[in-house]
Amino acid sequence: MKHGRYPFIIGFLIVPVAIYGTFVVAAYLQAFQLSFTNWRGFSPEVNYIGFDNFTKLFEDTTFWKAIRHHALLLIFLPLLTIILALFFSFLLNVGGGSKSGRTQGVWGSKFYRVVFFFPQLLALALVAVIFSRVYSPDDSGLINGLLNQFGAEPILFLADKDLALWSILAVLVWQAVGFYVVLFSAGMGSIPTEIYEAAALDGATRGTLFFKVTLPLLWNTLQVAWVYLGIAAFDAFALVNVMSVDRGGPDGATTVLGLEIFRNMQDYAQFGYASAMGVVLFFLTLTFAALTLRVTRRDAVEL
């Protein structure tokens, strides 16, 4: 019976593994192969040029500009999203204090969970279109329309090189917070209420409950959230492509690697060069995930 279970397990795994290998692993391998060629996407002939694409890549100022943008997103997107999501999750689960010896969230917390999750129901392209109108520099824009009522000058959120990336970052945070509010709420819901009640009886404040009880017990969930948000910071293609001026503008102020990969394939027919960018993006994302899991695992032990 012990040996008979392996054919049963293999029988269930062989189809999904074959599909994954065909459509995911094979695609990655082909991208690695194309990164060493000058293929332009139209000819069946593939000429291998070694590391020329990577040499050209590391001399490309637009590439380094995109890397800097990813670095900023990598710092601020997870940080702001997690801080806001933790704050709202704590309010929805513990912020109402203790009643009849039991901790509870603020009034209407179940309704607020639905409201926070609502942005997750919207496609990113739709979110980009909505906020393009919100940021519109004329009176039709929500923000500038309000500013105009007070006689203030319009703010060029997407046309100002110093504001454009931060404006898109704000949309990324707005879109992501709701999901992590629900995720952290689920994590907090799994923490035994007796722990909160015992701490409250000992005179613990809400701040103490958060930093000494909630945060350490929620650490594994925070680790997962940071990895996923970091991967999202390496993407951001959909919002930048729709919202930014001239796709990545003004003057490359919002460009990201995903957009540059798309542009080199779609506009310039440089499939080999675009594949080299994709390979670099792959290793950057993999390195980030590995380092984050390693560092946060060590910090979790210290906690």
Side-chain angles (χ1 to χ4, degrees):
M1 187 69 181
K2 181 178 179 182
H3 296 287
R5 65 181 180 181
Y6 292 109
F8 178 77
I9 295 173
I10 293 172
F12 270 96
L13 289 179
I14 190 168
V15 173
V17 169
I19 293 174
Y20 184 83
T22 302
F23 294 103
V24 178
V25 176
Y28 275 115
L29 293 176
Q30 188 175 33
F32 276 80
Q33 176 195 7
L34 292 176
S35 67
F36 295 101
T37 72
N38 62 356
W39 189 54
R40 298 184 63 85
F42 302 106
S43 171
E45 297 179 359
V46 177
N47 298 318
Y48 287 90
I49 57 175
F51 289 91
D52 288 0
N53 283 327
F54 294 95
T55 302
K56 178 183 175 182
L57 188 66
F58 289 107
E59 295 173 352
D60 189 344
T61 56
T62 303
F63 167 78
W64 288 110
K65 190 176 290 186
I67 292 292
R68 287 195 296 272
H69 297 159
H70 282 299
L72 290 173
L73 293 175
L74 196 58
I75 294 170
F76 290 102
L77 176 59
L79 188 63
L80 294 175
T81 302
I82 288 175
I83 288 175
L84 289 172
L86 279 174
F87 173 74
F88 290 126
S89 300
F90 189 74
L91 289 180
L92 296 179
N93 289 272
V94 189
S98 178
K99 184 178 180 180
S100 302
R102 300 189 63 181
T103 57
Q104 60 182 5
V106 296
W107 180 85
S109 57
K110 292 183 179 179
F111 171 73
Y112 295 140
R113 284 191 183 96
V114 176
V115 173
F116 279 121
F117 193 75
F118 177 71
Q120 292 296 313
L121 303 178
L122 303 175
L124 270 178
L126 181 58
V127 171
V129 171
I130 291 172
F131 274 91
S132 294
R133 299 307 305 161
V134 170
Y135 287 149
S136 180
D138 54 33
D139 292 345
S140 64
L142 176 63
I143 299 176
N144 283 313
L146 291 173
L147 292 176
N148 184 59
Q149 297 298 317
F150 296 97
E153 291 293 325
I155 301 174
L156 304 178
F157 290 100
L158 300 175
D160 188 329
K161 290 193 296 184
D162 297 326
L163 288 178
L165 185 65
W166 302 107
S167 300
I168 292 176
L169 171 63
V171 180
L172 285 168
V173 172
W174 178 88
Q175 199 271 339
V177 161
F179 174 81
Y180 292 97
V181 167
V182 175
L183 179 66
F184 295 156
S185 293
M188 292 180 189
S190 66
I191 299 174
T193 56
E194 293 80 4
I195 298 177
Y196 286 115
E197 292 163 6
L201 289 174
D202 289 339
T205 63
R206 292 181 185 179
T208 302
L209 285 175
F210 178 77
F211 287 104
K212 297 297 184 181
V213 177
T214 303
L215 199 58
L217 294 177
L218 206 62
W219 191 256
N220 288 337
T221 307
L222 289 175
Q223 182 187 56
V224 173
W226 199 283
V227 171
Y228 275 107
L229 285 165
I231 293 173
F234 280 114
D235 185 12
F237 164 75
L239 285 181
V240 172
N241 189 43
V242 177
M243 293 183 64
S244 62
V245 177
D246 296 327
R247 289 196 305 173
D251 194 25
T254 58
T255 192
V256 291
L257 284 179
L259 181 62
E260 291 305 317
I261 292 171
F262 176 79
R263 179 178 290 159
N264 277 279
M265 293 177 63
Q266 182 76 15
D267 299 344
Y268 310 134
Q270 295 183 356
F271 281 73
Y273 188 59
S275 297
M277 281 191 181
V279 169
V280 172
L281 181 59
F282 170 81
F283 281 111
L284 285 175
T285 307
L286 189 66
T287 302
F288 163 78
L291 288 176
T292 301
L293 290 173
R294 180 65 181 271
V295 171
T296 53
R297 185 182 298 117
R298 184 177 61 214
D299 290 344
V301 173
E302 292 175 357
L303 286 173

